[in-house]
Amino acid sequence: MAKKSKVVANERRRETVARHADRRAALKATIRSTSSTPEEKAAAQQALNRQPRDASPVRVRNRDAVDGRPRGHLRKFGLSRVRVRELAHRGQLPGVRKSSW
């Protein structure tokens, strides 16, 4: 079980990313554009640097949906490897069976 403060901080980051996503996309498009002048690119870069650090999507951590475990996250299920194994053994994941050979 992850610390509640880490899980809450990660959710706050998700909200910040969503709130700033449109503005970040516009600034990044200006920076990448070949038709932008160097002054426009510099201004866009400064505006991007002034945004909150948590507005960047790479700062969001994938966590287990049940207990918030940060490591061993399986994107397909939204769960950690430990939780997937546990739920698969109990038969609570539809379409997942324990293999043996």
Side-chain angles (χ1 to χ4, degrees):
M1 184 73 196
K3 290 170 59 174
K4 290 287 184 191
S5 60
K6 293 288 188 181
V7 174
V8 170
N10 200 48
E11 289 307 312
R12 195 171 52 241
R13 276 191 199 104
R14 283 187 194 279
E15 293 167 5
T16 305
V17 166
R19 195 169 51 243
H20 291 89
D22 295 335
R23 178 76 175 135
R24 281 183 66 83
L27 291 171
K28 285 182 156 287
T30 302
I31 293 168
R32 278 193 306 263
S33 174
T34 56
S35 62
S36 298
T37 65
E39 293 81 22
E40 289 174 340
K41 288 183 180 188
Q45 185 66 48
Q46 284 180 343
L48 194 61
N49 287 338
R50 280 194 303 267
Q51 286 200 331
R53 189 174 282 175
D54 282 344
S56 175
V58 297
R59 291 181 59 94
V60 175
R61 180 86 176 168
N62 286 330
R63 289 183 173 270
D64 187 321
V66 177
D67 65 1
R69 187 177 202 276
R71 304 283 181 108
H73 181 268
L74 299 177
R75 204 175 274 207
K76 181 176 180 179
F77 301 103
L79 301 170
S80 68
R81 61 181 177 77
V82 176
R83 185 75 49 198
V84 168
R85 185 171 190 267
E86 183 180 295
L87 294 177
H89 282 305
R90 282 196 238 150
Q92 295 178 339
L93 289 179
V96 176
R97 290 185 4 170
K98 183 180 182 301
S99 66
S100 61
W101 61 92

